Amino acid sequence: MRNSTRSAVDPFIVMDVMQAASAAEEAGRHIIHMEVGQPGTGAPKGAAAALAKAMGEGALGYTVALGLSALRARIAQMYGEWYNVDLDPARVVITPGASGGFLLAFTALFDSGDRVGIGAPGYPSYRQILRALGMQPVDLPAAPENRYQPVAADFAGQDLRGLLVASPANPSGTMLDRPALTALTDACAANDMSFISDEIYHGIEYDKKAVTALEVTDDCYVINSFSKYFSMTGWRVGWMVVPEDQVRVVERIAQNMFICAPHASQIAALAAMDCDDELQANLAVYRRNRDLMITGLQEAGFTDIAPPDGAFYVYADVSRFTDDSRAFAAEILEKAGVAVTPGLDFDPARGHKTLRFSYARSTADMEEGIARLKAFMAAR
C-alpha cells in the first residue's frame, strides 16, 4: 500500500537499544539498563488500591474528554502547593500521557508546514510527531555554555511559529530558571510564537525546585505526565494546562482523537497524588543514584558531562573515545553488559559524539553498572 510522506519518521533509537538488550537477556546475559527513562519503581501502592476499589464498585466507562473533574481540581491544587500558582481547574486537560498532550498541542497551535523550534539535544519524539503531522521541526543547537538549553538568540530570524522547551530536560537533566524562562517567553510573545513547556520531569529535582512556565506567563501550553515522578509510565495518563481561551479548542480535538484518557488510569492518578511519602522515597533513590553516576562516570573517564539539575539522566560528550556513538553503545552492551543510549536520538547533528546514561533503576543496578563501565573503559 502507498504510504504518506508524513509517515517517514525516524526510529526511536533507544527502543532499538532496548530490543538488543532484551535479546541479550533472552540469551542468558545479565544486562544493566541505563538506556531507558523509566522509573525502576511501580505506581504508588495507593494508586493500585484506589483502582482495585473502583473496579469492584462498577464498570469504568468513558469520561468527558477533559478528564475527571476531581483529578483536574487536584492537579490545580498541586500548582498552588508546588509553585504558589493559583490555577483554575478549568484550564487543566487530562491526556493519554504526555505524548497525547504533544499531539493535542501541535494540532491546536500549528498548521501543516509551520516551523516549530525544538532544542537540541532534546526528546526525539518531538521531532517525529511534528513531522508526522506535516509540520517542520527546526533543531536549535543549544550550547554547552547554556547548559544545553535554548536561548532567544538561537531562534532569532528563524521564522518560527512556536517553540518547545523542556525543563528538566531530556537528555541533559538541566533546568531553566525564572529569568531564562522569562526571556524565552518574552521573545516568543514579541515574535508571535506559541510557547510550549514540557514539564514531565517536574518533581524530580535535586538542589532547587523547577520553575513552571505558569509562574512567568499564562500565555503558554504546559504539558506534564504521571509517568516520571509518579512512576506510572504504562498507565498512559498525563495533563496539559492551557490558556482559558484554548480549552474548548483542545477539548474538540481530544473528543475526536482520543474520546478521553483511560478512566482507570485517571482514578489511579488521582490517588497517586496523595502518596507523598512513597514518592519522596523514590526521589531519595534517584538522588543517591545521581551522585553515584556522576562520580562513577568521571572515574570511568566520562568527564565531559552536563551536571543534571533534575530528571534521571547524565548526558556525556564521548568525542575523546569515538565519533560513532551508536557503535560505541553497541560495544558497551556487548562487552560490558550495560545498555546506554546513543546521542543521535537527541541531536542528529552532534549526537554521534554523545551518550545518555539513565539512573532511574535501583541503586544496586547503578553500582553494578558503574563497576562494569569502569572495567570496560580500563580495558579499552
Side-chain angles (χ1 to χ4, degrees), residues 123-146:
Y123 180 55
S125 293
Y126 302 149
R127 187 180 304 108
Q128 309 310 334
I129 295 171
L130 285 165
R131 284 177 177 160
L133 292 173
M135 298 152 192
Q136 296 184 48
V138 178
D139 283 327
L140 305 174
E145 55 266 30
N146 292 326

Side-chain angles (χ1 to χ4, degrees), residues 64-380:
V64 298
L66 294 175
L68 293 174
S69 59
L71 179 56
R72 298 168 70 200
R74 183 63 183 87
I75 290 170
Q77 178 187 331
M78 186 193 74
Y79 278 88
E81 296 167 349
W82 283 18
Y83 313 104
N84 198 30
V85 168
D86 184 10
L87 178 62
D88 182 354
R91 294 174 54 196
V92 178
V93 180
I94 308 304
T95 64
S99 299
F102 298 135
L103 283 166
L104 290 169
F106 298 162
T107 305
L109 294 172
F110 309 122
D111 285 314
S112 296
D114 279 353
R115 292 163 52 82
V116 181
I118 53 176
Y123 180 55
S125 293
Y126 302 149
R127 187 180 304 108
Q128 309 310 334
I129 295 171
L130 285 165
R131 284 177 177 160
L133 292 173
M135 298 152 192
Q136 296 184 48
V138 178
D139 283 327
L140 305 174
E145 55 266 30
N146 292 326
R147 307 181 75 253
Y148 292 109
Q149 289 282 2
V151 296
D154 292 336
F155 55 88
Q158 291 268 22
D159 188 29
L160 303 180
R161 291 295 299 157
L163 174 69
L164 170 59
V165 302
S167 174
N170 175 12
S172 66
T174 62
M175 297 195 308
L176 292 161
D177 60 18
R178 187 188 295 264
L181 264 174
T182 301
L184 289 172
T185 57
D186 286 351
C188 285
N191 290 279
D192 193 26
M193 294 165 51
S194 298
F195 184 81
I196 305 171
S197 180
D198 177 358
E199 302 182 358
I200 191 173
Y201 292 100
H202 276 226
I204 307 177
E205 312 109 346
Y206 303 107
D207 300 320
K208 57 186 176 181
K209 184 67 185 165
V211 179
T212 176
L214 297 171
E215 294 181 57
V216 301
T217 182
D218 283 326
D219 192 22
C220 65
Y221 274 39
V222 167
I223 296 175
N224 209 322
S225 170
F226 287 90
S227 289
K228 307 301 182 179
Y229 176 69
F230 295 96
S231 294
M232 296 177 65
T233 52
W235 298 75
R236 309 316 303 139
V237 60
W239 73 89
M240 304 167 65
V241 180
V242 302
E244 184 179 358
D245 65 354
Q246 296 288 304
V247 174
R248 182 56 178 164
V249 175
V250 172
E251 181 182 25
R252 292 196 307 263
I253 301 168
Q255 288 170 338
N256 289 283
M257 276 193 173
F258 305 114
I259 300 180
C260 64
H263 190 169
S265 298
Q266 294 187 61
I267 289 171
L270 177 58
M273 299 190 74
D274 291 322
C275 296
D276 293 336
D277 290 346
E278 190 173 345
L279 297 170
Q280 287 298 307
N282 294 344
L283 180 60
V285 172
Y286 301 145
R287 182 176 283 109
R288 287 196 298 273
N289 290 356
R290 170 184 179 251
D291 294 342
L292 281 169
M293 183 72 83
I294 291 173
T295 301
L297 288 178
Q298 290 175 335
E299 291 174 351
F302 301 104
T303 55
D304 192 358
I305 62 177
D309 302 312
F312 30 58
Y313 308 112
V314 175
Y315 196 56
D317 184 328
V318 293
S319 56
R320 291 171 49 204
F321 312 114
T322 185
D323 62 0
D324 186 345
S325 62
R326 195 164 191 170
F328 193 35
E331 183 184 1
I332 292 172
L333 177 61
E334 173 62 28
K335 296 182 178 178
V338 179
V340 300
T341 305
L344 287 168
D345 246 350
F346 313 103
D347 190 339
R350 301 174 296 176
H352 59 291
K353 295 183 179 181
T354 57
L355 292 177
R356 187 193 74 175
F357 300 84
S358 171
Y359 51 89
R361 296 298 183 101
S362 71
T363 299
D365 274 0
M366 295 305 101
E367 290 172 337
E368 173 65 20
I370 289 166
R372 293 186 187 187
L373 288 171
K374 288 181 182 178
F376 167 78
M377 294 298 290
R380 276 187 107 238

